[in-house]
Amino acid sequence: MDSIKQAVELARASDAPGPAPNASAGEIFRPGALDPKMREVRLDPVHLERSRIVAHASSKEQGRYYDMLRTQVLQEMDKKSWQFLAVTSPTAGCGKTVTACNLAMSIARLPERSVLLVDLDLRKPTVAKYLGAEPTDGVMSVLEGRSPLSSAVTQVSVGPTSFLVLSGGVSSSSSSEWMASQTMGTLLQTIKREFRSRLVIFDLPPMLLGDDVISILPRMDATLLVAGVGSTSVSDIKECQKHLQRSPVVRVVVNKTAEVTDSYYGYY
Ligand SMILES: Nc1ncnc2c1ncn2[C@@H]1O[C@H](COP(=O)(O)OP(=O)(O)O)[C@@H](O)[C@H]1O
Ligand SMILES: [Mg+2]
C-alpha cells in the first residue's frame, strides 16, 4: 500500500491551473436547443449492477463511496467554477468507465445538479454498454458530421435519477487524430456553451497507451486519476504526472482495493 500512497502523493503534487481551451467555433455543429424529442432510455438496475454501476442507490454500501467521492470532487470543482472533468488512468482496465458512470450517477442524484457524461474513449467506447443504453449516434457521428449534437445525446434514467449521455458510438482507429483535431475543439466548445449548467464528465482513454489524453487534457478543467491496485505501478503514476503538470488533479481513486475488506474504493 505504501507504494500506492507514494504514487498518489506524486500525482497530487501536480496541481497547477491549466490553460483555457483555445479552439475556434465552427459551423459544422447544429446543436440548437436540447431536442425535445431527445432519446430517453430507462436503465435496468440489474444490468447496472452487473456492470458495477451502483451509485443510483445510496442505500448500497458501494454507492456511498461514490457519494463521498462526489462531494470531494464537487468541492474542488465548485471552488474554481470548473465544468469539465476528465477521468483517466495510467493503463487500461483500472476502472475509469466504472468510476465515471458511478460518479455521474451519484452527482445526478443531487437535486440541484445536472450531469452530462461523454465517452471520449474513442478506441474502446464502453459507457453505453455498461449503462445498458446502446447508442444510435455518438461522438463519432457528431465529429464526422453525420448527426447534430442535439440528437446524439441520450437522457438515461434509473428511478428518479436522470442524466445525459453522449456515448462514443462506433470505435475509431483514428482516435489520436480526432482527439487533437480542431473539430474536437469545436465540439468541446459547443458542449461548454450548450450544457453550461451541467457538470461534464469525460471518460477518457488510458494516459500511457498513446497521445489521446495528452492532446485533450489542455481542453479539460481538471482530472480524476483512477489507479488500479495490481495494475498501476509507481513508475506509471510518475509517467502520468509528467503529462498532468498543467491539469489540476482533483482526486486520485485507488480502485479495486482488497486491503480493507468492506471497502470498494480508496481515495487520497
Ligand atoms: N472496484 C472494482 N472492483 C472490482 N472490479 C472492478 C472495479 N472497478 C472496475 N472493475 C472491473 O474492471 C474491469 C475494467 O473496468 P473499466 O471501468 O472498464 O476500466 P477502464 O475503463 O479503465 O478500462 C471491468 O471488468 C470492471 O467491471
Ligand atoms: Mg473504459
Side-chain angles (χ1 to χ4, degrees), residues 28 40 44 57 89 99 101 106 148 150-151 159-160 182 185 224 229:
I28 61 164
E40 289 183 28
D44 173 6
S89 61
T99 303
C101 291
S106 176
S150 56
S151 65
Q182 190 63 45
L224 177 73
V229 169

Side-chain angles (χ1 to χ4, degrees), residues 158-173:
V158 51
T161 304
S162 68
F163 60 98
L164 302 183
V165 176
L166 176 58
S167 58
V170 290
S171 86
S172 168
S173 54

Side-chain angles (χ1 to χ4, degrees), residues 96-97 121 126 203:
K96 287 179 298 300
T97 305
D121 193 344
T126 51
D203 183 27

Side-chain angles (χ1 to χ4, degrees), residues 51-52 89 91-98 126 130 255-256 264-265:
S51 309
R52 299 183 189 275
S89 61
T91 50
C94 293
K96 287 179 298 300
T97 305
V98 165
T126 51
Y130 282 16
N255 194 22
K256 304 185 179 180
Y264 203 68
Y265 274 89

Side-chain angles (χ1 to χ4, degrees), residues 3-22:
S3 61
I4 288 281
K5 278 197 173 137
Q6 191 191 341
V8 164
E9 287 308 317
L10 278 166
R12 293 188 70 189
S14 57
D15 191 11
N22 59 356

